[in-house]
Structure formats: C-alpha cells, structure tokens
Amino acid sequence: MSKPLTVWDLPREEYLAPGHRMCQGCGAAIAFRHILKATGKDVIITMPTSCGEITSTVYPHTAWRVPWIHVAFENAAAVASGIAAGIEALKRKGFIPKDKDIKVVAIGGDGGTFDIGFQALSGTLERGDNVLYICYDNEAYMNTGIQRSGATPLGAWTTTTPVGKVWRGEWRPKKRKDLIAVAIAHNVPYAATANPAFPVDLYMKVKKALSIKGPKVIHVLSPCVPGWRIEPEKSVEVGKLAVLTGMWINYEYENGTYRVTTPVPKRKPVREYLRLQGRFRHLTDEEIKKIQELVDAEVARINKLVGKEVIGPVEG
Amino acid sequence: MGKVLPLGGNYAVAYAVKACDVDVITAYPISPQTTIVERLSEFVANGELNAEFLHVESEHTALSVAIGAAAVGARTYSATCSQGLALMNELLYIMSYIRLPMVLTIVNRALSAPINIWNDHSDFMSVNDSGWIMMMSASNQEAYDEILLGYRIAEDPRVLLPVITSMDGYIQSHVVEPVEIVSDEEAISFAPKRRSWVTLDPDKPVTMGPVGDPSYYFEFRRQLWEAMKESRKVFDEATEEFAKRFGRKYSAIETYMLEDAEVAIVGMGSFMGTIKAFVDRARRDGVKVGALRVKLYRPFPSEDIARALSNVKLVGVMDRALMPGSAAGGHLHHEVAFALRQAGLETKTIGFIAGLGGRLLTMDNVKQMVNVLINYKDKTVKELPKEPIFIGVRE
Ligand SMILES: Cc1ncc(C[n+]2csc(CCOP(=O)(O)OP(=O)(O)O)c2C)c(N)n1
Ligand code: SF4
Ligand SMILES: [Mg+2]
C-alpha cells in the first residue's frame, strides 16, 4: 500500500478564488476549496440557492474558476442531470470531443438537499445519472438567517426553533434523516460522509467518487460560524470534535461495503462537541444525555455495518 | 413539396422536433400533452432520433434539466400544460433571464381548480410575463411549423430567448389533419444548430445565474426587454424565409375580412376557425364583421393590431382565460385595448370571456357576440359595458 496522503500532497491549484464573501472560518468554504482540488479544472458545478451560492457569485464577481451555474433552490441535482445529458448528447454528435472527460458535480446545502431539493435528488439518483452530488451540511437554512431544516440536530437553537419557556431548540427526538441511507436505497455505487476538518479524506472521497460512473453522494459536515454560534478560529476544531465524539462519522459505502475512514478507538463525550457551540448553550445535563444516547446508537449501527468496532466507547 | 401525413397536433409536433434533431428531451406526462413525448420516445427508441431522453420526476425538474442541457449548448425540447406549466413557473423566468434558448410546447389546458383537462388559455396566459417568446397556432400544420420557427428564432444570436409554441388541447392535439412534413435536412437547413450562446465549458469557464444586486439586476431585465423587441424582427425574417422555402406564410397576426369591417372579433387559437365561419355567414347577410387572430403573443404585435383595426368601430376581444378583478377581464383584451389607445385610435373595445375549461363555442355563441357588437357599435365609450361579457356560461 502506498504512503497515506497528507495535505502537502494535494494539488496546489486553487479553483476557488479568494475574495469571496464567505465568513471567516466557514466550513463550507474549506470544503469547496478541497472539492475543487479533487475535481480539477474539467468540471461543471451546479449549486442551488444557498449561502455558498450567494457569497461566491455576486455579479460581476465570481469565486469560481471552473464553469458554474446556479438556477434555483430545489433543483441542483436536476440541473446537473441536464448538464450530464447535454454533454452525453453533444459528444455523440461530435460537438464535444468524445475523449473529453467533463465531470458534473452538484454542491447543495442541507436545505437544498434534505428538504426542498429532495425530490430532484431522488430523480437524479434513481435514473442513474452520471453526477456527483455533494451536500454541504451546516444543519440549518443559513442563507435566510439560520432557520431550522430537516438536518437540524436535536436540541439546536435556530431562529425558528428558538429557546423559550416552552421550546428548547429543535425537538425531533430521533436521529435526523439519514442521507447516506437514502442514497444507498437508490442503489448508488458510492456514497460517503466527509468533513472539512479532514481535508485529505474529503479530497480522496471526491476523487474516488469521480472515478465511478453513475450517481454518487457525499455528505459533508460544514461548521458555520454565525449559525452554530462558534468563534471563526474554532470551526476546524469543532469539525474535529464532531468526529472525535462520534457526533459525525467519516465513512464510505462502495458497492455493498461500508468502511470508516477516520476510526476513533476512544470517543470523547458529546458534551465536548456541544459546549463549543452557542446553539447548544441552553442544554441541560438531561438533554445532553439524550443526545449522547442517539450518538451511541448511531456508533453501534455503523460498527455493525462495518463488521467490527472501529468507533470505540466513550472514554473516562 | 414534402410528405403529407394525417396527424393529430401532438404527433405533428413530435415529427417537427425530430426533424430539428434535438439533443435532449425531458418531459413529464400530463394530458393532453403526453402523446408528444410518447411519440418522441418512440423515435428515440427506434433510433430515428439521436437524443438523450430524461424521464424526470416532475415538470419542475423537466425545465431544470432543460436549463442544464441548454447551458452546455444542447438543443433542448420539452412539452407541458396546465398544472405542469404552473409547476415550471419559477424556472421559466430563470431560463429566459439566463438567456438560454429552447422550445417548449404548451398544449393549452385549463388550470385547476376544479381540475379540468380540457382546453382554454389560462395556462398559456399565466406565463405571459416570463420573458419567453410565445406563439399560438390554430392548425396542426401551424403547430408543426412553429417548432421549426421556434428553434430558428430562439437560437438567433440577436435573440437568445426560449420560445413557447402552443396549440389547443384536444381540439388540435388529438384531432387529425393533413400535415406536410419536411425532411430532416430541410428542417436543419432552415433552423441550423448554431450553438450561438455562451455555454458552460471548462476551457472557458463562466459563472451563470449569479446574484444580481440592486446595482446590476435592473440592467439584466432591461437587456431582456431589448432582446424581446429584437426578436420581432427575427420573427418576421424567419416567417419570410419560411414562406420562401416551404410556401406557407405566417404573420404575427392573421386578419380576416377587416378591410371594410365595422365590428370585429379578436381572439387566439382554434376558436378562430368558428369565428371565421360565422363571419362568412354574417357577410352573406350583409353584416360588416371581420376577425383578427393573434398568433405571436410575445412580443405582442401592438402596432400590427392597431393598423389592422384602425377603421373598425367596435372590437370584441375574446379571452379564453380570466384575469379576476381586472376591468379588462382577460389578458388579450388588456393588450389589444392598450394597443389601440397607444395608436391614438377611436376604436372601442368590449371584452368577451368564452370557452373556459373546454366549454365549446357554438355558432350561436358567436352570433351573440356579434349582436352585442352591432348593438354597441355607434354608442359612446361611456355607454359600453364596464365589465366583460361571459359567453356560453350558465348565470
Ligand atoms: C423556492 C424557494 N424557497 C425559498 C427560498 C429562500 N431560500 C434561499 S436559500 C434558503 C436556505 C438555504 O439553506 P441550505 O440549503 O441549508 O443552504 P445554506 O444557506 O444553509 O448554506 C432559502 C430558504 C428560495 N430561494 N427559493
Ligand atoms: S453563514 Fe455559515 S455557511 Fe454561510 S458563509 Fe458564514 S459560516 Fe459559511
Ligand atoms: Mg444549510
């Protein structure tokens, strides 16, 4: 086996230009940058209406050094399917050279993926279109001011799940919608989770996904400075803690096999992840215990899928 | 002379789309449009048409796919109507303002509620501000020809706007008429694939669909306005060239017995056949009535209409869609009245609402309209009805 890559091995080319308007410390910005390192120049990106879209393409400026299109909020997958179909037809008819490999990648927020774009995503996956769909998940509708989405985790404050005398943040008592399971239910050949605090892992997953024909899904956790009420310099730390506590598991699914790409032999308690974020500040010990139980169950489920204990018990 | 086939309007359109060698087809079933894409899928299935066919899960996705395909330079086609068109609405505006060409056929059908699959123009009219060029045919041959005209106009570098072609549901879509079809070579020679617009190309990266803040948004709108104006010139050139090649001459409007008419009925689509038949009959009785059919709805041919109606005393404008709460009653009346006024004409108008949800237009209905016009033709503007007259409805 070859030596594992480090950040020093990643391509030096930058296809996300500086000068965009994303917040300092934005997890999505780090994710975009590394996704583009993996796609290289021969790619077309579609992006739905979202924080990533509005902050990177305020006319006449653009941060995208690759072709990029935004159409609406609920259709990044559908637009990507159209692009893939157009390229296919134009290659057949000789308008685009047959050997030119142009990748099609949709990058959508959690709202544009879990909620309003869910139907279009299902269509793209179900038809088997040759598209990589990446969800950058900051766990709320950030663009419109931090409203609750179908990806908002239990207990999180948002502007539509405020903490008051009756409400205590998001109250969905179960694990949120499982995007990877949804993708696998569409019989995709490849699906993975990733996290910009682990940029090499993210890079390699995008690379691998693009080497496979058909529909692929990558779900990327994206710490958000104002939305999670964290300090800008803490976003990578929060991303790391998400993995170290088991709140987030970096894994991949390929043709029936699951593999955890960031094993965690000893987990930290979820409290360590939660306490850095203002959106969880109001949580009581009792409420944190409930979240810990959800995490424990998810860890057990993934370990079972992998067939061994890659994520260990909570230490101490 | 091409081959003449007995074709329903939907099949006629499918033949035209095939002749134009489209690259990407994407549509969702909805009556009475569905047989267009059924026929197209047969063409692709048999290898008669080399295109990507996307079975999408909604009309919203159909137009999203079309936008993506057009954005990489593909010649793209879709068809829909009624609820499907309503579901596309958001994307209609986006496609025109991104300035991507395509052709979309609307097989005119009523909008819900109550749900109704029959013909009127409420779907067509509901998108008349969307920045698309819009045509409405009145025969299956014309529905066929509109596809060829559509691609030629849409992809003209002076235009680069998407085009809606249309026909009346069932009355045209499912009724067989003789249709002359041209060869694929003739179609492509008339509507060549020019790939004349900016595309998403990794060798020349562009950003499409950016944020337009208050210092730029307005200019995007203004540019489309200019392109829409320019498209009229291109429409006239295209119809001229079409007549030369295929012997059928279309104009933005079709006039009938207007030269000496005192009263006239203005309308769109297949009902105009009934109107013309009535005009023939009334003329035999010495009634000076004429008719005008609007074919090109966007850009609206205001000047042509004013010119054609300049000597008419009173015009009845028949709308097959409703603008509830508006004094004009319907969209066409609104446009025609404004056109006449802007031309400084004395010509008066009355609005008629007819044929909603597939209610047929009988000769008696037309007679009723013409009688109203004759009764009011010498009255002053102030004496005219203040709201539209509903024809053929149970009160
Ligand atoms: C049809 C439609 N509904 C609502 C909106 C308003 N809107 C734009 S972006 C957005 C939220 C985006 O959330 P998400 O997809 O999670 O991306 P984020 O901004 O959080 O990165 C909303 C509600 C819209 N543009 N279009
Ligand atoms: S609001 Fe959140 S997602 Fe948006 S740019 Fe800022 S940190 Fe990134
Ligand atoms: Mg979000």
Side-chain angles (χ1 to χ4, degrees):
Chain A
M1 227 175 112
S2 54
K3 219 167 91 226
L5 291 187
T6 71
V7 280
W8 301 105
D9 300 314
L10 301 186
R12 293 299 150 100
E13 285 81 10
E14 299 290 355
Y15 295 106
L16 185 73
H20 55 69
R21 291 155 157 85
M22 281 172 259
C23 303
Q24 284 183 33
C26 171
I30 307 172
F32 297 168
R33 181 170 165 235
H34 289 91
I35 290 165
L36 292 181
K37 282 178 183 286
T39 63
K41 122 181 194 309
D42 287 334
V43 66
I44 297 175
I45 306 283
T46 78
M47 192 173 266
T49 317
S50 57
C51 214
E53 168 261 327
I54 61 139
T55 52
S56 63
T57 63
V58 182
Y59 187 86
H61 304 287
T62 180
W64 300 86
R65 292 176 171 148
V66 294
W68 179 100
I69 183 169
H70 157 252
V71 177
F73 186 19
E74 55 289 74
N75 63 357
V79 176
S81 289
I83 289 171
I87 291 173
E88 186 62 32
L90 293 173
K91 274 188 179 178
R92 265 210 316 268
K93 296 184 180 183
F95 286 107
I96 295 178
K98 282 211 166 51
D99 54 357
K100 186 151 176 92
D101 183 20
I102 304 173
K103 292 120 187 159
V104 185
V105 179
I107 308 177
D110 48 295
T113 304
F114 281 65
D115 299 340
I116 203 166
F118 196 61
Q119 176 176 322
L121 174 61
S122 176
T124 294
L125 302 182
E126 164 281 309
R127 283 189 302 272
D129 298 345
N130 192 18
V131 164
L132 168 59
Y133 190 95
I134 301 177
C135 170
Y136 76 94
D137 180 4
N138 49 28
E139 302 187 329
Y141 298 159
M142 297 313 175
N143 184 32
T144 36
I146 323 173
Q147 293 84 25
R148 183 252 190 218
S149 81
T152 300
L154 176 62
W157 161 91
T158 67
T159 54
T160 52
T161 53
V163 179
K165 286 206 178 96
V166 181
W167 286 4
R168 304 207 31 87
E170 167 58 31
W171 58 80
R172 181 197 323 98
K174 302 166 294 191
K175 182 180 113 170
R176 61 195 188 141
K177 199 188 282 187
D178 184 339
L179 185 63
I180 298 300
V182 166
I184 293 169
H186 286 77
N187 299 315
V188 299
Y190 184 80
T193 62
N195 175 328
F198 300 81
V200 177
D201 183 61
L202 169 62
Y203 169 88
M204 294 206 303
K205 282 169 175 163
V206 174
K207 272 268 183 228
K208 182 185 269 189
L210 290 173
S211 73
I212 299 167
K213 209 167 154 55
K216 291 84 55 177
V217 173
I218 301 181
H219 183 192
V220 180
L221 184 72
S222 288
C224 167
V225 172
W228 294 12
R229 296 184 163 174
I230 55 178
E231 297 302 323
E233 69 275 16
K234 290 274 192 264
S235 58
V236 170
E237 190 179 333
V238 167
K240 279 194 176 139
L241 275 169
V243 168
L244 296 178
T245 58
M247 258 323 264
W248 183 265
I249 301 171
N250 280 338
Y251 69 101
E252 66 184 1
Y253 164 89
E254 199 181 350
N255 291 325
T257 310
Y258 293 80
R259 191 170 75 88
V260 169
T261 54
T262 316
V264 183
K266 282 241 161 77
R267 264 188 292 152
K268 292 181 188 296
V270 289
R271 180 186 297 276
E272 296 202 17
Y273 170 73
L274 302 174
R275 77 182 166 80
L276 286 181
Q277 305 176 49
R279 63 176 173 155
F280 295 118
R281 184 181 303 140
H282 56 281
L283 295 181
T284 61
D285 287 349
E286 197 53 35
E287 287 163 335
I288 291 174
K289 191 162 153 259
K290 172 81 193 148
I291 296 172
Q292 182 70 60
E293 282 166 16
L294 287 179
V295 170
D296 293 346
E298 178 64 2
V299 164
R301 187 183 77 91
I302 294 288
N303 280 336
K304 196 160 162 226
L305 286 173
V306 175
K308 57 177 189 263
E309 191 184 271
V310 262
I311 312 285
V314 178
E315 67 184 354
Chain B
M1 174 90 179
K3 212 164 36 162
V4 176
L5 297 178
L7 294 173
N10 280 355
Y11 282 2
V13 159
Y15 271 98
V17 171
K18 176 172 91 69
C20 290
D21 186 36
V22 301
D23 304 315
V24 175
I25 300 165
T26 166
Y28 194 78
I30 184 165
S31 302
Q33 167 279 125
T34 315
T35 52
I36 297 181
V37 283
E38 284 178 6
R39 195 77 185 91
L40 284 171
S41 52
E42 282 169 24
F43 287 141
V44 179
N46 295 334
E48 292 173 74
L49 172 59
N50 183 358
E52 286 290 304
F53 191 107
L54 267 85
H55 304 92
V56 290
E57 85 305 321
S58 70
E59 288 85 354
H60 194 281
T61 289
L63 207 56
S64 303
V65 163
I67 291 172
V72 289
R75 179 172 276 189
T76 305
Y77 180 76
S78 189
T80 191
C81 58
S82 183
Q83 304 315 113
L85 186 65
L87 194 54
M88 281 183 181
N89 190 280
E90 177 191 32
L91 300 157
L92 292 169
Y93 285 72
I94 294 172
M95 188 162 202
S96 59
Y97 282 100
I98 300 185
R99 305 290 300 278
L100 293 171
M102 81 171 282
V103 173
L104 168 74
T105 301
I106 304 177
V107 184
N108 305 317
R109 161 181 159 180
L111 283 171
S112 296
I115 190 162
N116 173 302
I117 61 167
W118 291 272
N119 167 239
D120 70 24
H121 297 165
S122 46
D123 52 1
F124 182 93
M125 288 300 173
S126 75
V127 300
N128 70 8
D129 295 334
S130 60
W132 288 53
I133 292 165
M134 299 176 76
M135 299 185 245
M136 193 184 290
S137 67
S139 72
N140 293 355
Q141 181 71 61
E142 191 179 346
Y144 176 96
D145 294 341
E146 277 188 357
I147 301 291
L148 275 65
L149 288 166
Y151 280 112
R152 178 169 165 130
I153 297 166
E155 295 176 7
D156 189 296
R158 292 168 291 174
V159 178
L160 298 183
L161 287 174
V163 169
I164 284 170
T165 74
S166 70
M167 70 177 114
D168 281 341
Y170 297 112
I171 299 171
Q172 287 175 256
S173 64
H174 288 64
V175 171
V176 173
E177 291 178 352
V179 176
E180 183 183 331
I181 64 167
V182 306
S183 71
D184 295 0
E185 295 71 37
E186 285 173 308
I188 287 295
S189 146
F190 176 74
K193 292 177 125 177
R194 304 169 72 168
R195 311 229 304 136
S196 47
W197 59 99
V198 175
T199 58
L200 296 170
D201 174 358
D203 294 330
K204 282 177 275 166
V206 293
T207 287
M208 280 189 193
V211 178
D213 70 12
S215 47
Y216 287 100
Y217 178 92
F218 206 172
E219 283 71 22
F220 280 91
R221 299 272 135 173
R222 173 70 204 206
Q223 283 180 0
L224 183 137
W225 177 271
E226 290 302 320
M228 184 59 86
K229 234 168 52 187
E230 195 66 16
S231 75
R232 177 54 204 272
K233 224 181 293 163
V234 177
F235 173 88
D236 289 340
E237 286 170 22
T239 47
E240 200 65 46
E241 179 64 23
F242 192 91
K244 262 193 230 145
R245 291 182 188 224
F246 306 116
R248 289 183 292 278
K249 175 76 179 93
Y250 296 105
S251 308
I253 59 169
E254 180 196 342
T255 57
Y256 195 66
M257 306 250 178
L258 280 180
E259 293 73 24
D260 62 341
E262 291 187 319
V263 298
I265 294 181
V266 176
M268 295 175 73
S270 60
F271 275 18
M272 294 314 286
T274 313
I275 307 274
K276 285 200 283 188
F278 184 85
V279 167
D280 288 342
R281 191 201 277 182
R283 284 272 170 178
R284 284 198 290 275
D285 300 336
V287 182
K288 289 190 170 170
V289 56
L292 187 155
R293 177 172 75 88
V294 178
K295 170 188 175 54
L296 182 67
Y297 190 75
R298 287 286 182 262
F300 195 74
S302 303
E303 288 172 18
D304 310 60
I305 290 172
R307 215 175 302 124
L309 298 175
S310 56
N311 294 319
V312 178
K313 287 182 178 170
L314 177 59
V315 176
V317 184
M318 178 179 64
D319 269 288
R320 302 199 53 209
L322 205 55
M323 278 198 317
S326 125
H331 309 72
L332 186 60
H333 184 205
H334 199 260
E335 292 284 0
V336 170
F338 187 73
L340 295 171
R341 197 205 127 110
Q342 287 304 93
L345 296 172
E346 300 286 302
T347 309
K348 298 165 293 204
T349 65
I350 289 181
F352 294 117
I353 303 292
L356 298 192
R359 184 67 52 88
L360 291 177
L361 187 78
T362 63
M363 284 296 225
D364 277 350
N365 293 150
V366 187
K367 186 172 173 188
Q368 187 194 344
M369 288 194 273
V370 172
N371 284 344
V372 168
L373 295 176
I374 288 167
N375 285 341
Y376 280 102
K377 75 176 165 37
D378 296 315
K379 299 259 165 58
T380 65
V381 172
K382 284 202 170 138
E383 291 166 314
L384 295 181
K386 292 287 169 281
E387 42 174 273
I389 298 170
F390 288 70
I391 301 296
V393 74
R394 276 191 302 278
E395 297 286 357

